Amino acid sequence: MGSDRVPACPVETTLTLISDKWAVLILRDLLRGTRRFGELQRSVGGVSQKVLTARLRQMEERGLLTRKVYPEVPPRVEYALTELGYSLRPVLDAMASWGEAYQARNA
């Protein structure tokens, strides 16, 4: 959240950090390991380059992931979760479990 005020409510704090579906899907994919920009764009699906770039920058500013640029031509950029980013695993696992149960109930 950088210089932003941290909400008093812990649920609101978590929602502020993961902010939208793109952030959650990026976290889901990075929980499996380091990814390049193009890999994330394909795996997340439906996200524009502009939005993905903005979301990745925001998540980096909030300390959820790191961005490593390799001095190559063309440049190679890799994204990986930080310890803080990995600490969201139980939240995403709970979301996945709930989603599976909901899908099974409504199939």
Side-chain angles (χ1 to χ4, degrees):
M1 280 174 273
S3 62
D4 298 339
R5 177 188 67 78
V6 175
C9 172
V11 173
E12 186 180 352
T13 298
T14 305
L15 286 173
T16 299
L17 284 171
I18 59 177
S19 68
D20 62 25
K21 82 172 188 175
W22 301 124
V24 172
L25 295 176
I26 292 165
L27 286 167
R28 174 202 66 189
D29 290 349
L30 290 178
L31 281 169
R32 298 178 190 137
T34 301
R35 299 283 183 263
R36 293 173 69 173
F37 185 89
E39 293 174 312
L40 285 171
Q41 192 170 24
R42 282 187 299 278
S43 65
V44 169
V47 65
S48 70
Q49 182 174 340
K50 180 180 176 181
V51 170
L52 181 58
T53 298
R55 225 33 95 241
L56 289 166
R57 284 186 183 147
Q58 182 182 60
M59 293 171 74
E60 183 181 14
E61 288 170 7
R62 291 176 172 173
L64 298 176
L65 58 83
T66 59
R67 176 180 181 263
K68 184 171 183 179
V69 180
Y70 293 87
E72 301 171 355
V73 178
R76 176 171 49 118
V77 181
E78 292 183 342
Y79 297 89
L81 291 180
T82 61
E83 188 175 329
L84 180 64
Y86 274 112
S87 72
L88 284 163
R89 180 184 294 275
V91 175
L92 270 69
D93 288 347
M95 291 172 69
S97 294
W98 189 90
E100 288 170 357
Y102 182 85
Q103 287 173 336
R105 185 175 148 218
N106 293 292

